[in-house]
Amino acid sequence: MTSSIEKQQLNITGMTCASCSARIEKVVGAMPGVRSMQVNLATESAVVAFEPELVSPRLLREAIERLGFKARVAGPTGGSDFERQQEEARARLADMARRLYPAFAFAVLLLLLAMGEMVGLPLPLFLAPHQAPFTFALVQFLLVLPIMWSGRNFYQLGFPALWRGAPNMDSLIAIGTGAAFVYSVWGLIEIGLGIEIMARVMDLYFESAGVLIALVSLGKYLEARSKVRTSDAIRQLMALIPEEATLVVNEEQKKIPLAEIEKGDILLVKPGERIPVDGLVVKGRSSVDESMLTGEALPVAKEAGDQVVGATLNRNGLLQVRAEKVGQDTVLARIIAMVREAQGSKAPIANLADRLSLYFVPTVMILAILAGLAWYFLGQTGFSFALRIFIAVLVIACPCAMGLATPTSIMVGTGRGAQLGVLVKSGEALEMAEKISAVVFDKTGTLTHGRPELTDLTVLVPEMSETRVLTLVAAAESGSEHPLAEAVVKAAREKGLVLPEPVDFEAVIGRGIRAVVAGVAVLIGNREFMMESGVTPPDAGTDAIAAGFAGEGKTALYCAADGRLLAILAIADRLKPEAPATVKALQRLGIKVFMLTGDNELTARAIAAQAGISEVFAQVLPEQKVKKVAALQAEGFRVAMVGDGINDAPALARAEVGIAMGTGIDVAIESGDIVLMQGLTGLLTALSLSRATMRNIRQNLFWAFIYNIIGIPVAAGVLYLFGGPTLNPMLAGGAMAMSSVSVVSNALRLRFFKS
């Protein structure tokens, strides 16, 4: 019997570096019943897949808490859970700022006291090291205490992590600054006891400990502030949701909070207001700005019977809307949930950094000890020099930069995509989209509009006007529910034609329709229907016109009145205007383009030719679409499938990247890895965004790795072996702090990505 698998999202606090997230992944991932565990440092969240028969969410949380972190089950994606996380992040940021100001004030005073004379700033005699060595040392001791208190988190988190055998970045800072502090306190005691006073007074490291804590705290503050900004996209989406709505009950109006809206409620939406939930217009007429959803700048006319989407803007006119989807079921809520889920996911490229981060801190600690011992015993430089090397190696190392390199770029990239109408569901999809070598398009609803339209009307009788013919044909077709009939009626109504009521209407399956309109017997259908009904046979020219329409992928309809051919109509599912440019752009990128459709060969090739596609698979059944995608994969292509219908869902799931049109149905959208909310042009945006994000990730990883590869040997004194300088621990701490800031700042550049 196969065990069921559940997924649980957790919010985790207390993580300070990639070593923390890697440790949680390793420990929890090894628990019986846990299938997978992904921890995201940037979003402070985790997604765990587990077998509920073997392990419970409570046991998972307890395991995380035993590692020294706090965990709770995440609430519904979007909404209050996001707001609570943001509020907590802002509170932490404010607390960090409160601690940072006094820490820096005391650090500046400490640095001036310890290093002032070296840069030509004379000290008062009562503080001068040569005149009052004990006072000089004691004041430094007193100045460093408030700094260490403000940075107490490093010790409260770092030492317990060390005792648990899972040291992290806080452990490095705690050991480095703690060693400097303890050594300096011992020196202060010896100065007080009169032991080698001048030697000890020049060998104090209070300023190193204090300035290190201040600089690292500054780096953590800047990093946290930058991370808060990575959620700007979600915040902007949520800002579109109105806080309250006007409920209509028995013709009375009442303002209620958005959370109180129930399915079936009638809501009044005034001009200039945003529609609160997804629903159906039951009364009124207006134009609605749906640009936040579709990207279409022109407002869309809405009247009774039309669907509306929450957060779209009512431009003019009063609308009464019946709520159909509320809370987490609305389109916007689902978009927000999708973006948040993607931001919490990982790209495969992050695996290397995660594996290294797990062993990074212990390795650095060993290197720091070995470097210090080597200089003390082999370099014969004395304990003070060896201690400085030991501290520098500890504080130069930064696992944070490696841990933040990937998730911050994914957070900002997916958020920016949402702003541009491209919803990326996971980091894996974002990474895979960069590698796509073939794009397979469904035809109907993807390359075409998905609805038949009257494209041509050729009148064969000179004395009859086009308007008169269209009126007769549309009036006759108004009795039919066939999609081709709907296309004709729609064309007539768009021209403002008044259609008489047809009588004696009859639909002949597979042939056409007959009806009497204003006393005229009208026939509409294929050539065979005309012949069977005794209509004057069409001549060669008429048949050539019909054949020409068929060659263009259009359906030709013969129209007759009172036994005489009147006209030939052409109906087609029009190609989207942006399709040819999109196909050409893909081909310029070196991507092979295919079209996959269930339509007949003639129609499929006609549409494909208009779009600029030469590779066509026609008359393909839904179950065969998956096989076609698999066949392309077998040829070595990395395939992206673009579709919008139920019959596309299996192929979307099979492709390396399934790309669903946001105008499609739920099944297709759920099957897709990427959803295009603003039409085909979003495909190019998605591919460009993928490339930009992956480039950004590689830049981050390069700088994170190169920083440590160069920084650690320099801190260990390699340059000093060849007559070069050593690395002051304070400079090492500042560099370490700024490495994480630089990675997050580089990721934030994606906020300005343009398709």
Side-chain angles (χ1 to χ4, degrees), residues 450-454 473-474 476-491 493 505-514 524-526 555-557 571-573:
R451 56 183 184 275
E453 296 179 6
L454 178 65
V473 173
E477 292 280 26
S478 64
S480 172
E481 295 180 354
H482 194 281
L484 298 183
E486 291 177 4
V488 175
V489 173
K490 180 184 176 186
R493 287 187 172 145
F505 176 86
E506 180 187 0
V508 181
I509 297 175
R511 290 288 191 266
I513 63 108
R514 56 168 58 94
I524 306 164
N526 56 30
T555 299
L557 294 178
I571 296 175
D573 183 4

Side-chain angles (χ1 to χ4, degrees), residues 84-145:
R84 183 173 61 248
Q85 280 188 293
Q86 290 295 295
E87 188 59 38
E88 290 173 355
R90 286 190 289 268
R92 287 198 301 270
L93 202 59
D95 182 60
M96 292 171 75
R98 283 193 297 270
R99 295 186 183 194
L100 191 60
Y101 294 134
F104 250 86
F106 283 108
V108 170
L109 293 175
L110 181 57
L111 192 60
L112 289 174
L113 177 60
M115 312 292 289
E117 287 193 338
M118 296 183 186
V119 294
L121 296 175
L123 295 174
L125 292 179
F126 72 92
L127 283 178
H130 297 287
Q131 302 297 324
F134 183 73
T135 306
F136 174 77
L138 180 62
V139 172
Q140 287 189 55
F141 170 75
L142 296 175
L143 287 173
V144 81
L145 289 179

Side-chain angles (χ1 to χ4, degrees), residues 316-632:
N316 47 56
L318 287 171
L319 291 177
Q320 286 193 14
V321 176
R322 183 173 66 239
E324 293 190 332
K325 292 183 179 179
V326 301
Q328 299 303 308
D329 295 328
T330 65
V331 169
L332 185 60
R334 290 169 61 197
I335 289 174
I336 292 171
M338 206 178 291
V339 175
R340 290 200 67 199
E341 187 173 339
Q343 291 186 336
S345 67
K346 282 190 174 182
I349 196 173
N351 293 336
L352 173 62
D354 288 345
R355 286 195 299 269
L356 289 176
S357 297
L358 183 62
Y359 305 104
F360 182 83
V361 173
T363 302
V364 168
M365 292 176 66
I366 293 170
L367 288 175
I369 293 170
L370 291 176
L373 292 175
W375 280 109
Y376 182 73
F377 289 108
L378 303 178
Q380 298 181 350
T381 52
F383 183 77
S384 176
F385 184 88
L387 177 65
R388 190 165 64 180
I389 292 293
F390 171 75
I391 296 170
V393 173
L394 286 179
V395 299
I396 191 69
C398 184
C400 280
M402 289 189 291
L404 292 169
T406 300
T408 48
S409 295
I410 289 175
M411 281 185 71
V412 182
T414 52
R416 181 58 180 154
Q419 292 174 322
L420 296 173
V422 175
L423 305 183
V424 183
K425 292 188 179 180
S426 68
E428 184 177 2
L430 197 63
E431 179 174 344
M432 187 55 69
E434 183 201 29
K435 303 172 184 177
I436 290 303
S437 57
V439 171
V440 178
F441 286 104
D442 170 53
K443 181 183 79 70
T444 306
T446 302
L447 288 173
T448 66
H449 288 287
R451 56 183 184 275
E453 296 179 6
L454 178 65
T455 60
D456 302 270
L457 173 57
T458 303
V459 179
L460 303 175
V461 181
E463 63 269 21
M464 291 283 281
S465 69
E466 185 176 300
T467 300
R468 174 62 177 161
V469 171
L470 183 57
T471 300
L472 287 173
V473 173
E477 292 280 26
S478 64
S480 172
E481 295 180 354
H482 194 281
L484 298 183
E486 291 177 4
V488 175
V489 173
K490 180 184 176 186
R493 287 187 172 145
E494 285 177 351
K495 291 180 177 292
L497 302 182
V498 177
L499 305 181
E501 192 73 26
V503 294
D504 298 332
F505 176 86
E506 180 187 0
V508 181
I509 297 175
R511 290 288 191 266
I513 63 108
R514 56 168 58 94
V516 176
V517 178
V520 179
V522 179
L523 294 176
I524 306 164
N526 56 30
R527 191 180 193 280
E528 290 74 18
F529 184 51
M530 297 295 116
M531 298 302 95
E532 292 169 1
S533 302
V535 175
T536 305
D539 57 25
T542 301
D543 282 340
I545 293 172
F549 288 148
E552 295 172 5
K554 301 173 182 178
T555 299
L557 294 178
Y558 290 80
C559 308
D562 293 332
R564 181 186 180 192
L565 277 177
L566 282 184
I568 296 180
L569 281 71
I571 296 175
D573 183 4
R574 287 182 188 269
L575 188 73
K576 291 180 179 177
E578 66 270 24
T582 301
V583 170
K584 188 174 291 186
L586 290 172
Q587 292 168 339
R588 280 199 299 267
L589 291 172
I591 296 173
K592 192 84 169 174
V593 181
F594 300 85
M595 191 177 83
L596 191 62
T597 179
D599 266 359
N600 66 73
E601 188 84 22
L602 186 63
T603 301
R605 292 207 171 272
I607 293 295
Q610 294 174 35
I613 301 173
S614 58
E615 302 285 344
V616 180
F617 302 118
Q619 294 175 289
V620 179
L621 297 175
E623 59 270 20
Q624 294 174 325
K625 288 188 176 184
V626 178
K627 294 178 181 178
K628 290 293 184 183
V629 170
L632 291 174

Side-chain angles (χ1 to χ4, degrees), residues 245-248 253 266-270 273 276 318-321:
T246 304
L247 177 68
V248 179
Q253 300 177 17
I266 302 299
L267 307 170
L268 179 68
V269 186
K270 300 175 182 177
E273 291 183 344
L318 287 171
L319 291 177
Q320 286 193 14
V321 176

